[in-house]
Amino acid sequence: MFTKQQTILRDLGNGLVLRRSTTEDADALAEFNGKIHGEDEQDRQRIAAWTHDLLARPHPTLRPDDFTIVEETASGRIVSSLNLIPQTWTYEGIEFVVGRPELVGTAPEFRTRGLVRLQFEEIHKWSAERGHLVQAITGIPYYYRQFGYEMALDL
């Protein structure tokens, strides 16, 4: 288990740091993702529970430090986050490893500062280190092109 200080990946300046998550982030990250991604109260609760489970319960592939967090150092508040879920996919009977970015979000007052881009750069490194042959993301069509993604499969 790492201390919060040991999880820091880089100082972003302006009172922000980019760091890896720990199980101790489960409550705060659940609240953040519920607020950012939930469309109504039921959806907020569902997303918060999913986030909390990803960090606090054993997961077959995701580790508790597989989220990136941009944190405001003065308050400790999470202002942006995303994660990388390792998966194994099969095509024509051939298995291959995939990195799946998910729960990409930034608090409205911190948008357009390049925080998501910095986090994608980090998880792209993680994905390469883990030997992922592909990264796949679902979400807003065309938004993820700015981070190097193209529409490939119709889900």
Side-chain angles (χ1 to χ4, degrees), residues 6-73:
Q6 292 170 315
T7 65
I8 294 176
L9 298 166
R10 65 197 262 202
D11 186 329
L12 302 178
N14 298 315
L16 300 176
V17 293
L18 174 62
R19 68 177 182 83
R20 293 183 88 126
S21 58
T22 70
T23 54
E24 288 146 10
D25 293 308
D27 292 338
L29 202 49
E31 182 180 338
F32 172 80
N33 278 321
K35 181 189 271 186
I36 294 297
H37 298 290
E39 295 181 17
D40 56 36
E41 186 56 34
Q42 184 176 7
D43 199 36
R44 280 190 284 282
Q45 290 176 11
R46 181 188 62 79
I47 292 168
W50 177 37
T51 302
H52 195 276
D53 284 354
L54 285 171
L55 281 164
R57 298 180 71 187
H59 186 276
T61 62
L62 184 128
R63 301 182 318 228
D65 65 347
D66 281 341
F67 280 82
T68 56
I69 293 174
V70 176
E71 182 178 272
E72 191 176 48
T73 54

